[in-house]
Amino acid sequence: MSFMSINQRMKDTVELFIKIEDWQDRYKKIIDLGKSLPPMREEFKIETNKVKGCQSQVWLGVDFKDGLIYFEGDSDASIVKGIVALLLGVYSGSTPDEILSTKPTFIEDIGLKQHLSMSRSNGLNSMIKQITIYAMAFKAKLQMEKS
């Protein structure tokens, strides 16, 4: 597998959605992304992996291999599961530094933020915050291993 930067994955995501003009069709695409999300390992579906601040149930599990963070996610709501898939498609397979130095501009670029209810928008922010917390933790772990 060739390495693709987080910026390239964000750009690809924006290009995918910009082609879809109708918001009903964009929602369908988001739901399809959720359906194509690989099943989350059961050992990750635990209380500590639940994202706080989401109205639906959202889990975010993480592995750290060879300096890269790999996420797994799931939700009991189809549109939210699609949003999880969208975020994982951009952030999974990135270094902690990449995640911490990259603003999630793709969310605004595809118009998602403006088309979410307040509770879903809060949930999206909670998911991004959780991804950032994992990145900070793994960055700290790497720094400790170096010293």
Side-chain angles (χ1 to χ4, degrees):
M1 187 181 105
S2 65
F3 180 77
M4 187 187 297
S5 75
I6 197 168
N7 287 324
Q8 185 59 52
R9 290 191 300 264
M10 279 200 316
K11 191 174 168 230
D12 291 351
T13 301
V14 171
E15 284 174 10
L16 177 72
F17 280 89
I18 290 303
K19 293 175 192 162
I20 307 168
E21 290 184 25
D22 180 59
W23 256 97
Q24 288 307 318
D25 293 336
R26 285 190 189 189
Y27 280 128
K28 283 183 198 141
K29 183 67 183 170
I30 290 169
I31 291 167
D32 287 345
L33 286 174
K35 288 177 183 168
S36 67
L37 199 61
M40 187 178 201
R41 287 179 279 173
E42 281 307 311
E43 68 257 30
F44 276 163
K45 279 197 173 181
I46 54 175
E47 196 60 36
T48 53
N49 285 343
K50 268 193 178 173
V51 178
K52 313 290 179 269
C54 290
Q55 235 179 3
S56 346
Q57 293 196 79
V58 177
W59 295 269
L60 206 53
V62 66
D63 279 321
F64 190 58
K65 286 190 231 105
D66 304 321
L68 299 176
I69 301 174
Y70 296 95
F71 294 100
E72 284 186 33
D74 199 5
S75 176
D76 59 355
S78 58
I79 192 119
V80 177
K81 188 172 180 168
I83 293 169
V84 170
L86 200 61
L87 292 175
L88 301 193
V90 168
Y91 290 108
S92 198
S94 302
T95 66
D97 282 335
E98 266 193 310
I99 292 171
L100 295 172
S101 67
T102 305
K103 298 254 182 281
T105 55
F106 69 100
I107 293 164
E108 301 237 347
D109 293 344
I110 63 176
L112 185 59
K113 206 149 192 122
Q114 305 89 291
H115 286 85
L116 288 180
S117 66
M118 185 59 112
S119 63
R120 283 205 181 117
S121 194
N122 289 340
L124 172 65
N125 291 333
S126 296
M127 287 183 251
I128 292 170
K129 184 178 172 191
Q130 190 63 48
I131 288 168
T132 304
I133 290 168
Y134 279 130
M136 289 189 304
F138 287 121
K139 181 176 179 154
K141 183 182 179 206
L142 283 174
Q143 288 171 334
M144 284 175 62
E145 287 170 1
K146 283 180 187 168
S147 58

